[in-house]
Amino acid sequence: LEERAEGGYKNWKFHGSNMRDFAFVAGNNFLIAEDKVGDTVIKSYYYKGHEKRGKEALDFGKRAIEIFNSTYGKYPYPTYSVVETEFPSGMEYPGLVYISTMYYDNAYSADHLIYTTIHETAHQWWYGVVGNDQIDEAWLDEGFATYSEGIFTEKEYGRGNGEFYYEILEENAKKDIEAGAYDGVILKPLSRYENWNDYGPAVYTGGAVLLNEIRKQVGDKAFFEILQTYYDEYSFKIATTEDFLTVCEKVSGKEFDDLFHKHLSSVK
């Protein structure tokens, strides 16, 4: 950050390296809580009256960075900001996430704040660092971020709670397919979804279920090696479903054509 006074105004110049896109939030009413994970400064920006949830957002963001650092690979940016905004849910950008002001209200369950923060933090790895075509292969970031919610749950609250989280995802996917919410295929371009009612179950839930099925087939050691290898090989690149399949097969020594066809239908 460079600051310069000029003609009664202040000019700021920002610099960021290896960032896929750029966003900012401006306001003069934010309170700030701050902490560190290694060399990374974690900041939570929140409004007056939301001090409790603002500090919780800092704690959740910090813990997520710690867990995903050890699970996937090191977070690459010097700062990470979790910001209370008017955005309706959550939104991710490199080094910065928007979290809805609704979730800072004590009238809402803390789970909304926890899991929105965790999900958007996971996008720092899956979308921010490992990029993908978000129009045609959205499951590669949304499915990974949703599955990361379960990883956070098992690391923070115990393996049993994590397994329960994955069971809920699988049950929800099964119910959505049976109800005709979507056809079980998660690799489709945005134009082939009618609305959020079939897009959400497919790319978020369906994508996470596919990852859990891979984990069941290869075991924890190989599964996490797959994720770490994928992160390492495709950092700051655009990865495809084919790329991920190749990593899965290379690391595990297994073939996944049948499993991928079941969920994706259009690879190989």
Side-chain angles (χ1 to χ4, degrees):
L1 171 64
E2 296 177 17
E3 180 179 313
R4 185 176 75 251
E6 187 176 299
Y9 295 92
K10 282 186 178 179
N11 293 326
W12 289 275
K13 184 177 181 179
F14 298 89
H15 175 77
S17 298
N18 290 325
M19 289 191 158
R20 200 166 296 283
D21 56 16
F22 172 77
F24 69 94
V25 181
N28 58 2
N29 295 316
F30 282 120
L31 301 177
I32 306 172
E34 184 176 316
D35 207 335
K36 290 190 77 174
V37 173
D39 296 329
T40 303
V41 176
I42 316 292
K43 293 186 177 184
S44 172
Y45 293 81
Y46 53 91
Y47 301 140
K48 185 176 180 181
H50 290 169
E51 287 83 359
K52 179 176 181 294
R53 289 282 169 89
K55 291 174 182 175
E56 287 175 352
L58 175 69
D59 292 338
F60 300 144
K62 176 185 176 183
R63 187 66 183 122
I65 294 285
E66 291 172 336
I67 288 172
F68 299 148
N69 269 350
S70 62
T71 304
Y72 303 141
K74 192 174 185 303
Y75 177 82
Y77 306 120
T79 62
Y80 178 59
S81 299
V82 181
V83 185
E84 179 178 359
T85 69
E86 303 302 319
F87 196 85
S89 54
M91 189 63 197
E92 71 278 3
Y93 301 96
L96 165 71
V97 296
Y98 296 175
I99 306 295
S100 173
T101 187
M102 294 187 298
Y103 303 155
Y104 288 76
D105 192 320
N106 288 329
Y108 277 79
S109 165
D111 286 351
H112 291 287
L113 180 63
I114 294 172
Y115 283 99
T116 303
T117 302
I118 299 314
H119 183 98
E120 305 309 336
T121 302
H123 274 305
Q124 299 299 307
W125 282 259
W126 314 120
Y127 147 77
V129 177
V130 179
N132 61 287
D133 182 338
Q134 295 174 292
I135 300 299
D136 292 328
E137 297 186 285
W139 84 275
L140 281 172
D141 62 275
E142 295 300 356
F144 276 62
T146 300
Y147 194 76
S148 297
E149 297 171 22
I151 290 176
F152 177 90
T153 300
E154 69 174 276
K155 299 290 186 182
E156 186 70 1
Y157 304 118
R159 181 64 181 260
N161 285 312
E163 290 177 348
F164 181 63
Y165 196 90
Y166 305 135
E167 288 173 7
I168 291 174
L169 288 174
E170 290 176 343
E171 288 174 6
N172 287 343
K174 183 178 179 180
K175 288 176 183 176
D176 286 330
I177 292 171
E178 290 174 349
Y182 84 109
D183 59 7
V185 177
I186 64 177
L187 183 59
K188 294 189 290 190
L190 189 60
S191 60
R192 286 182 55 196
Y193 292 103
E194 300 226 353
N195 51 42
W196 180 259
N197 293 330
D198 61 342
Y199 177 82
V203 302
Y204 287 74
T205 308
V209 168
L210 170 56
L211 291 173
N212 203 43
E213 290 193 24
I214 294 169
R215 183 175 180 179
K216 288 177 181 178
Q217 287 195 18
V218 304
D220 283 7
K221 183 176 184 298
F223 177 73
F224 288 113
E225 186 179 346
I226 285 169
L227 296 182
Q228 291 161 4
T229 301
Y230 181 57
Y231 180 73
D232 182 60
E233 291 189 2
Y234 290 96
S235 288
F236 309 113
K237 301 176 184 177
I238 300 294
T240 67
T241 299
E242 287 279 7
D243 293 329
F244 180 60
L245 172 58
T246 298
V247 171
C248 288
E249 293 181 339
K250 180 178 69 173
V251 171
S252 69
K254 297 178 179 288
E255 292 188 359
F256 293 91
D257 284 0
D258 290 345
L259 178 61
F260 271 57
H261 273 296
K262 172 186 171 183
H263 290 274
L264 304 168
S265 82
S266 59
V267 292
K268 286 197 174 180

